[in-house]
Amino acid sequence: MSEQSFQTLGEFIIDKQEDFLYSTGELSRLLSAIRLASKVVNRQVNKAGIANIIGKAGNENIQGEEQQKLDVLANEIFIEALSQREVVCGIASEENDDFIEIQASCNAHLSKYVVLIDPLDGSSNIDVNVSVGTIFSIYRRVSEPGTPVILEDFLQKGVNQIAAGYVVYGSSTMIVYTTGNGVNGFTLDPSLGTYYLSHPSMMFSRTGKIYSINEGNYFKFPQGVKDYIKYCQREEEDRPYTSRYIGSLVSDFHRNMIKGGIYIYPSTSQSPNGKLRLLYECNPMAFLAEQAGGKCTDGFQRIMEIQPTELHQRVPFFCGSYEMVEKAEEFMRETTAK
């Protein structure tokens, strides 16, 4: 184990405070809340098979998707942890219809930050013991501190993010995050309950050999996506590429960042706007991807330049190694031009 591996997440946050434009200690407290909540969720995920917390919760979220028991539990855990630190004035979650104004203390309105979160990405995989994750995105509010949080505080372009990251609950549990100065990963030592720096300065390779897409929906895809899949499969140059699709965005993204690849969740004939949520999934992953030398678009436009118009807005999503995303965009433009 290298000397660098002994650096904890808490120590790293403190050491890197000067890299953060608005460093006042508040972001450290906010990230500490996410760290704590992730440990609690990790404990629940790890005992899902022996506790009564797998399966459907019996109700639907705002998108009409049936919630899993762990969706509801993870949502409650993160909201509780974030609400108690007096550094967040509002939270928007994929599992809630509307944003939540934090009123846990008289200081809540003075807080400068809002958090958008997907508490348990890929939760349908819990029942079959496949990796899942949490995705978070942090913004400075646009309304005046001291006043109630408003919708516009959340409907910001991805370029305004000040931090974003994810937790992956897999063979090991990791937090990967950025504050706009590169991407770093921390692995949880379960015996100590401490995250240690394990993946410093994470980067996408310029290109890769993995494409991740649900090919079961092939006939519903736009022609440009169909053409790109065929391109990936042809025996030419360094191809065919390998198809790898887990069905948990966090897990697919994490693998592709380490090994090199592209993740695609395009529009379909049934979902013309795509399925992934701009604010809870696409923007934070786009921030991470760009900080790691990758690229992220909706097939035509940079994800982080899209102006949100609603909390649960969906967009097509192409994300990963820079040259692979550019090639996919090329096929999209060619078929659109015809």
Side-chain angles (χ1 to χ4, degrees), residues 33-79:
I34 292 172
R35 175 181 58 187
L36 173 61
S38 73
K39 293 179 187 178
V40 179
V41 171
N42 177 67
R43 183 181 63 191
Q44 298 299 327
V45 168
N46 284 341
K47 66 179 184 181
I50 57 175
N52 186 30
I53 51 176
I54 62 173
K56 299 175 181 177
N59 50 295
E60 295 182 345
N61 61 20
I62 183 64
Q63 293 87 23
E65 299 165 340
E66 194 153 29
Q67 290 178 309
Q68 304 293 309
K69 292 177 182 178
L70 269 172
D71 279 324
V72 177
L73 182 59
N75 194 43
E76 292 172 350
I77 290 169
F78 273 97
I79 289 173

CSV table of all heavy atoms in Angstrom, one decimal, residues 33-79:
chain,number,residue,atom,x,y,z
A,33,ALA,N,-21.6,15.0,5.3
A,33,ALA,CA,-22.9,14.5,5.5
A,33,ALA,C,-23.2,13.4,4.4
A,33,ALA,O,-23.8,12.3,4.7
A,33,ALA,CB,-23.9,15.6,5.3
A,34,ILE,N,-22.7,13.6,3.2
A,34,ILE,CA,-22.9,12.6,2.2
A,34,ILE,C,-22.1,11.3,2.5
A,34,ILE,O,-22.5,10.2,2.4
A,34,ILE,CB,-22.5,13.2,0.8
A,34,ILE,CG1,-23.5,14.2,0.4
A,34,ILE,CG2,-22.4,12.1,-0.3
A,34,ILE,CD1,-23.0,15.0,-0.9
A,35,ARG,N,-20.9,11.5,3.0
A,35,ARG,CA,-20.0,10.4,3.4
A,35,ARG,C,-20.7,9.6,4.5
A,35,ARG,O,-20.8,8.4,4.4
A,35,ARG,CB,-18.7,11.0,4.0
A,35,ARG,CG,-17.8,9.9,4.5
A,35,ARG,CD,-16.5,10.6,5.1
A,35,ARG,NE,-16.8,11.6,6.1
A,35,ARG,CZ,-15.8,12.4,6.6
A,35,ARG,NH1,-14.6,12.3,6.2
A,35,ARG,NH2,-16.1,13.2,7.5
A,36,LEU,N,-21.3,10.2,5.5
A,36,LEU,CA,-22.0,9.5,6.6
A,36,LEU,C,-23.2,8.8,6.1
A,36,LEU,O,-23.4,7.6,6.4
A,36,LEU,CB,-22.4,10.5,7.7
A,36,LEU,CG,-23.3,10.0,8.8
A,36,LEU,CD1,-22.6,8.9,9.6
A,36,LEU,CD2,-23.7,11.1,9.7
A,37,ALA,N,-24.0,9.4,5.3
A,37,ALA,CA,-25.2,8.8,4.7
A,37,ALA,C,-24.8,7.6,3.9
A,37,ALA,O,-25.5,6.6,3.9
A,37,ALA,CB,-26.0,9.8,3.9
A,38,SER,N,-23.7,7.7,3.1
A,38,SER,CA,-23.3,6.6,2.3
A,38,SER,C,-23.0,5.4,3.1
A,38,SER,O,-23.2,4.2,2.7
A,38,SER,CB,-22.2,7.0,1.4
A,38,SER,OG,-21.0,7.1,2.1
A,39,LYS,N,-22.4,5.6,4.2
A,39,LYS,CA,-22.0,4.4,5.1
A,39,LYS,C,-23.3,3.7,5.6
A,39,LYS,O,-23.3,2.5,5.7
A,39,LYS,CB,-21.2,4.9,6.3
A,39,LYS,CG,-19.8,5.4,5.9
A,39,LYS,CD,-19.1,5.9,7.2
A,39,LYS,CE,-17.8,6.6,6.8
A,39,LYS,NZ,-17.1,7.1,8.0
A,40,VAL,N,-24.3,4.5,6.0
A,40,VAL,CA,-25.5,4.0,6.5
A,40,VAL,C,-26.2,3.2,5.4
A,40,VAL,O,-26.7,2.1,5.6
A,40,VAL,CB,-26.5,5.1,7.0
A,40,VAL,CG1,-27.8,4.4,7.5
A,40,VAL,CG2,-25.8,5.8,8.2
A,41,VAL,N,-26.3,3.8,4.2
A,41,VAL,CA,-26.9,3.1,3.0
A,41,VAL,C,-26.1,1.8,2.7
A,41,VAL,O,-26.7,0.8,2.4
A,41,VAL,CB,-27.0,4.0,1.8
A,41,VAL,CG1,-27.4,3.2,0.5
A,41,VAL,CG2,-28.0,5.2,2.1
A,42,ASN,N,-24.8,1.9,2.7
A,42,ASN,CA,-24.0,0.7,2.4
A,42,ASN,C,-24.3,-0.4,3.4
A,42,ASN,O,-24.4,-1.6,3.0
A,42,ASN,CB,-22.5,1.1,2.6
A,42,ASN,CG,-21.6,0.0,2.4
A,42,ASN,OD1,-21.4,-0.6,1.3
A,42,ASN,ND2,-20.9,-0.4,3.4
A,43,ARG,N,-24.5,-0.1,4.7
A,43,ARG,CA,-24.8,-1.1,5.6
A,43,ARG,C,-26.2,-1.8,5.3
A,43,ARG,O,-26.3,-3.0,5.4
A,43,ARG,CB,-24.9,-0.5,7.0
A,43,ARG,CG,-25.2,-1.5,8.2
A,43,ARG,CD,-25.3,-0.8,9.5
A,43,ARG,NE,-26.4,0.2,9.5
A,43,ARG,CZ,-26.6,1.1,10.5
A,43,ARG,NH1,-25.7,1.2,11.4
A,43,ARG,NH2,-27.6,1.9,10.4
A,44,GLN,N,-27.1,-1.0,4.9
A,44,GLN,CA,-28.4,-1.5,4.5
A,44,GLN,C,-28.4,-2.4,3.2
A,44,GLN,O,-29.0,-3.4,3.1
A,44,GLN,CB,-29.4,-0.4,4.3
A,44,GLN,CG,-29.7,0.5,5.5
A,44,GLN,CD,-30.3,-0.3,6.7
A,44,GLN,OE1,-31.0,-1.3,6.5
A,44,GLN,NE2,-29.9,0.1,7.9
A,45,VAL,N,-27.6,-1.9,2.2
A,45,VAL,CA,-27.4,-2.6,1.0
A,45,VAL,C,-26.8,-4.0,1.3
A,45,VAL,O,-27.2,-5.0,0.7
A,45,VAL,CB,-26.6,-1.8,0.0
A,45,VAL,CG1,-26.2,-2.7,-1.2
A,45,VAL,CG2,-27.4,-0.6,-0.5
A,46,ASN,N,-25.8,-4.0,2.2
A,46,ASN,CA,-25.0,-5.2,2.4
A,46,ASN,C,-25.9,-6.3,3.2
A,46,ASN,O,-25.5,-7.5,3.2
A,46,ASN,CB,-23.8,-4.9,3.2
A,46,ASN,CG,-22.7,-4.3,2.3
A,46,ASN,OD1,-22.7,-4.5,1.1
A,46,ASN,ND2,-21.7,-3.7,2.9
A,47,LYS,N,-26.9,-5.9,3.8
A,47,LYS,CA,-27.8,-6.9,4.5
A,47,LYS,C,-29.1,-7.0,3.9
A,47,LYS,O,-30.1,-7.6,4.5
A,47,LYS,CB,-27.9,-6.5,6.0
A,47,LYS,CG,-28.7,-5.2,6.3
A,47,LYS,CD,-28.8,-5.0,7.8
A,47,LYS,CE,-29.6,-3.8,8.1
A,47,LYS,NZ,-29.7,-3.5,9.6
A,48,ALA,N,-29.2,-6.5,2.6
A,48,ALA,CA,-30.5,-6.5,1.9
A,48,ALA,C,-31.1,-7.9,1.8
A,48,ALA,O,-32.3,-8.1,1.9
A,48,ALA,CB,-30.4,-5.9,0.6
A,49,GLY,N,-30.2,-8.9,1.6
A,49,GLY,CA,-30.7,-10.3,1.5
A,49,GLY,C,-31.3,-10.9,2.7
A,49,GLY,O,-32.0,-11.9,2.6
A,50,ILE,N,-30.9,-10.4,3.9
A,50,ILE,CA,-31.4,-11.0,5.1
A,50,ILE,C,-32.3,-10.1,5.9
A,50,ILE,O,-32.8,-10.5,7.0
A,50,ILE,CB,-30.2,-11.5,6.0
A,50,ILE,CG1,-29.3,-10.3,6.3
A,50,ILE,CG2,-29.4,-12.6,5.3
A,50,ILE,CD1,-28.1,-10.6,7.3
A,51,ALA,N,-32.5,-9.0,5.4
A,51,ALA,CA,-33.5,-8.0,6.1
A,51,ALA,C,-34.7,-7.8,5.2
A,51,ALA,O,-34.6,-8.0,4.0
A,51,ALA,CB,-32.8,-6.7,6.4
A,52,ASN,N,-35.7,-7.3,5.7
A,52,ASN,CA,-37.0,-7.1,5.0
A,52,ASN,C,-36.9,-5.8,4.2
A,52,ASN,O,-37.8,-5.0,4.4
A,52,ASN,CB,-38.2,-7.2,5.9
A,52,ASN,CG,-39.5,-7.2,5.1
A,52,ASN,OD1,-39.6,-7.6,3.9
A,52,ASN,ND2,-40.5,-6.6,5.7
A,53,ILE,N,-35.9,-5.6,3.4
A,53,ILE,CA,-35.8,-4.3,2.7
A,53,ILE,C,-35.5,-4.5,1.2
A,53,ILE,O,-35.0,-3.6,0.5
A,53,ILE,CB,-34.6,-3.5,3.3
A,53,ILE,CG1,-33.3,-4.3,3.4
A,53,ILE,CG2,-35.0,-2.9,4.6
A,53,ILE,CD1,-32.2,-3.4,3.9
A,54,ILE,N,-35.8,-5.7,0.7
A,54,ILE,CA,-35.7,-5.9,-0.7
A,54,ILE,C,-37.2,-6.0,-1.3
A,54,ILE,O,-38.1,-6.2,-0.5
A,54,ILE,CB,-34.9,-7.2,-1.1
A,54,ILE,CG1,-35.5,-8.4,-0.6
A,54,ILE,CG2,-33.5,-7.0,-0.7
A,54,ILE,CD1,-34.9,-9.7,-1.1
A,55,GLY,N,-37.3,-5.8,-2.6
A,55,GLY,CA,-38.6,-5.9,-3.2
A,55,GLY,C,-39.2,-4.5,-3.4
A,55,GLY,O,-38.6,-3.5,-3.0
A,56,LYS,N,-40.4,-4.5,-3.8
A,56,LYS,CA,-41.2,-3.3,-4.1
A,56,LYS,C,-41.8,-2.7,-2.9
A,56,LYS,O,-42.2,-3.4,-2.0
A,56,LYS,CB,-42.2,-3.6,-5.2
A,56,LYS,CG,-41.7,-4.1,-6.5
A,56,LYS,CD,-42.8,-4.5,-7.5
A,56,LYS,CE,-42.2,-5.0,-8.8
A,56,LYS,NZ,-43.2,-5.5,-9.7
A,57,ALA,N,-41.8,-1.3,-2.9
A,57,ALA,CA,-42.3,-0.6,-1.7
A,57,ALA,C,-43.8,-0.5,-1.8
A,57,ALA,O,-44.5,-0.1,-0.8
A,57,ALA,CB,-41.7,0.8,-1.6
A,58,GLY,N,-44.4,-0.7,-3.0
A,58,GLY,CA,-45.8,-0.6,-3.2
A,58,GLY,C,-46.4,0.7,-3.6
A,58,GLY,O,-47.6,1.0,-3.6
A,59,ASN,N,-45.5,1.7,-4.0
A,59,ASN,CA,-45.9,3.0,-4.5
A,59,ASN,C,-45.0,3.4,-5.6
A,59,ASN,O,-43.9,2.8,-5.9
A,59,ASN,CB,-45.9,4.0,-3.4
A,59,ASN,CG,-44.6,4.1,-2.6
A,59,ASN,OD1,-44.3,3.1,-1.9
A,59,ASN,ND2,-43.9,5.2,-2.7
A,60,GLU,N,-45.4,4.4,-6.4
A,60,GLU,CA,-44.6,4.9,-7.5
A,60,GLU,C,-44.0,6.3,-7.2
A,60,GLU,O,-44.6,7.1,-6.4
A,60,GLU,CB,-45.5,5.0,-8.8
A,60,GLU,CG,-46.1,3.7,-9.2
A,60,GLU,CD,-46.9,3.8,-10.5
A,60,GLU,OE1,-47.3,5.0,-10.8
A,60,GLU,OE2,-47.2,2.8,-11.2
A,61,ASN,N,-42.9,6.6,-7.9
A,61,ASN,CA,-42.3,7.9,-7.8
A,61,ASN,C,-42.9,8.8,-8.8
A,61,ASN,O,-43.8,8.4,-9.6
A,61,ASN,CB,-40.8,7.9,-7.9
A,61,ASN,CG,-40.3,7.3,-9.3
A,61,ASN,OD1,-41.0,7.3,-10.2
A,61,ASN,ND2,-39.0,6.9,-9.3
A,62,ILE,N,-42.4,10.0,-8.9
A,62,ILE,CA,-43.0,11.0,-9.8
A,62,ILE,C,-43.0,10.6,-11.3
A,62,ILE,O,-43.8,11.0,-12.1
A,62,ILE,CB,-42.3,12.4,-9.7
A,62,ILE,CG1,-43.0,13.5,-10.5
A,62,ILE,CG2,-40.8,12.3,-10.0
A,62,ILE,CD1,-44.4,13.8,-10.2
A,63,GLN,N,-42.0,9.8,-11.7
A,63,GLN,CA,-41.9,9.3,-13.0
A,63,GLN,C,-42.8,8.1,-13.4
A,63,GLN,O,-42.8,7.6,-14.5
A,63,GLN,CB,-40.4,8.9,-13.3
A,63,GLN,CG,-39.4,10.0,-13.3
A,63,GLN,CD,-38.9,10.3,-11.9
A,63,GLN,OE1,-38.9,9.4,-11.1
A,63,GLN,NE2,-38.5,11.5,-11.7
A,64,GLY,N,-43.6,7.7,-12.4
A,64,GLY,CA,-44.5,6.6,-12.6
A,64,GLY,C,-43.8,5.2,-12.5
A,64,GLY,O,-44.3,4.2,-12.8
A,65,GLU,N,-42.5,5.2,-11.9
A,65,GLU,CA,-41.8,4.0,-11.7
A,65,GLU,C,-42.0,3.5,-10.3
A,65,GLU,O,-42.1,4.2,-9.3
A,65,GLU,CB,-40.3,4.3,-11.9
A,65,GLU,CG,-39.9,4.8,-13.3
A,65,GLU,CD,-38.5,5.4,-13.3
A,65,GLU,OE1,-38.0,5.7,-12.3
A,65,GLU,OE2,-38.0,5.5,-14.4
A,66,GLU,N,-42.2,2.1,-10.2
A,66,GLU,CA,-42.5,1.5,-8.9
A,66,GLU,C,-41.2,1.6,-8.0
A,66,GLU,O,-40.1,1.1,-8.4
A,66,GLU,CB,-42.9,0.1,-9.1
A,66,GLU,CG,-43.5,-0.5,-7.8
A,66,GLU,CD,-44.6,-1.6,-8.1
A,66,GLU,OE1,-44.4,-2.3,-9.2
A,66,GLU,OE2,-45.5,-1.8,-7.3
A,67,GLN,N,-41.4,2.1,-6.9
A,67,GLN,CA,-40.2,2.3,-6.0
A,67,GLN,C,-39.9,1.0,-5.3
A,67,GLN,O,-40.8,0.2,-4.9
A,67,GLN,CB,-40.5,3.4,-4.9
A,67,GLN,CG,-40.6,4.8,-5.4
A,67,GLN,CD,-40.9,5.8,-4.4
A,67,GLN,OE1,-41.9,5.6,-3.6
A,67,GLN,NE2,-40.1,6.8,-4.2
A,68,GLN,N,-38.6,0.8,-5.1
A,68,GLN,CA,-38.1,-0.3,-4.3
A,68,GLN,C,-38.0,0.1,-2.8
A,68,GLN,O,-37.9,1.3,-2.5
A,68,GLN,CB,-36.8,-0.8,-4.8
A,68,GLN,CG,-36.7,-1.2,-6.2
A,68,GLN,CD,-37.5,-2.4,-6.5
A,68,GLN,OE1,-37.4,-3.5,-5.9
A,68,GLN,NE2,-38.3,-2.3,-7.6
A,69,LYS,N,-38.1,-0.8,-1.9
A,69,LYS,CA,-38.0,-0.5,-0.5
A,69,LYS,C,-36.7,0.3,-0.2
A,69,LYS,O,-36.7,1.2,0.6
A,69,LYS,CB,-38.1,-1.8,0.4
A,69,LYS,CG,-39.4,-2.4,0.3
A,69,LYS,CD,-39.4,-3.7,1.2
A,69,LYS,CE,-40.8,-4.4,1.1
A,69,LYS,NZ,-40.8,-5.7,1.9
A,70,LEU,N,-35.6,-0.1,-0.8
A,70,LEU,CA,-34.4,0.5,-0.6
A,70,LEU,C,-34.3,1.9,-1.2
A,70,LEU,O,-33.5,2.8,-0.7
A,70,LEU,CB,-33.2,-0.3,-1.0
A,70,LEU,CG,-32.6,-1.3,0.0
A,70,LEU,CD1,-31.6,-2.2,-0.6
A,70,LEU,CD2,-32.0,-0.5,1.2
A,71,ASP,N,-35.1,2.2,-2.3
A,71,ASP,CA,-35.2,3.5,-2.8
A,71,ASP,C,-35.7,4.5,-1.7
A,71,ASP,O,-35.1,5.5,-1.5
A,71,ASP,CB,-36.2,3.6,-4.0
A,71,ASP,CG,-35.7,3.1,-5.3
A,71,ASP,OD1,-34.5,3.4,-5.6
A,71,ASP,OD2,-36.4,2.4,-6.0
A,72,VAL,N,-36.8,4.1,-1.1
A,72,VAL,CA,-37.4,4.9,0.0
A,72,VAL,C,-36.5,5.1,1.1
A,72,VAL,O,-36.3,6.2,1.6
A,72,VAL,CB,-38.7,4.2,0.4
A,72,VAL,CG1,-39.4,5.1,1.5
A,72,VAL,CG2,-39.7,4.1,-0.8
A,73,LEU,N,-35.8,4.0,1.6
A,73,LEU,CA,-34.9,4.0,2.7
A,73,LEU,C,-33.7,4.9,2.4
A,73,LEU,O,-33.4,5.8,3.3
A,73,LEU,CB,-34.5,2.6,3.1
A,73,LEU,CG,-33.6,2.5,4.3
A,73,LEU,CD1,-34.3,3.1,5.6
A,73,LEU,CD2,-33.2,1.0,4.6
A,74,ALA,N,-33.1,4.7,1.3
A,74,ALA,CA,-31.9,5.5,1.0
A,74,ALA,C,-32.3,7.0,0.9
A,74,ALA,O,-31.5,7.9,1.3
A,74,ALA,CB,-31.3,5.0,-0.3
A,75,ASN,N,-33.4,7.3,0.3
A,75,ASN,CA,-33.9,8.7,0.2
A,75,ASN,C,-34.0,9.3,1.6
A,75,ASN,O,-33.6,10.4,1.8
A,75,ASN,CB,-35.2,8.7,-0.6
A,75,ASN,CG,-35.6,10.1,-1.0
A,75,ASN,OD1,-34.8,10.8,-1.5
A,75,ASN,ND2,-36.9,10.4,-0.8
A,76,GLU,N,-34.6,8.6,2.5
A,76,GLU,CA,-34.8,9.1,3.8
A,76,GLU,C,-33.5,9.3,4.5
A,76,GLU,O,-33.3,10.3,5.2
A,76,GLU,CB,-35.7,8.2,4.6
A,76,GLU,CG,-37.1,8.1,4.2
A,76,GLU,CD,-37.9,7.0,4.9
A,76,GLU,OE1,-37.2,6.1,5.6
A,76,GLU,OE2,-39.1,6.9,4.7
A,77,ILE,N,-32.5,8.4,4.3
A,77,ILE,CA,-31.2,8.5,5.0
A,77,ILE,C,-30.5,9.7,4.5
A,77,ILE,O,-29.9,10.5,5.3
A,77,ILE,CB,-30.4,7.2,4.7
A,77,ILE,CG1,-31.0,6.0,5.5
A,77,ILE,CG2,-28.9,7.4,5.1
A,77,ILE,CD1,-30.5,4.7,5.1
A,78,PHE,N,-30.4,10.0,3.2
A,78,PHE,CA,-29.7,11.1,2.7
A,78,PHE,C,-30.3,12.4,3.0
A,78,PHE,O,-29.6,13.4,3.4
A,78,PHE,CB,-29.5,11.0,1.1
A,78,PHE,CG,-28.3,10.2,0.8
A,78,PHE,CD1,-28.4,8.8,0.4
A,78,PHE,CD2,-27.0,10.7,0.7
A,78,PHE,CE1,-27.3,8.1,0.1
A,78,PHE,CE2,-25.9,10.0,0.4
A,78,PHE,CZ,-26.0,8.6,0.1
A,79,ILE,N,-31.6,12.5,3.0
A,79,ILE,CA,-32.3,13.7,3.3
A,79,ILE,C,-32.1,14.1,4.8
A,79,ILE,O,-31.8,15.2,5.1
A,79,ILE,CB,-33.8,13.6,3.0
A,79,ILE,CG1,-34.0,13.6,1.5
A,79,ILE,CG2,-34.6,14.8,3.6
A,79,ILE,CD1,-35.5,13.4,1.1
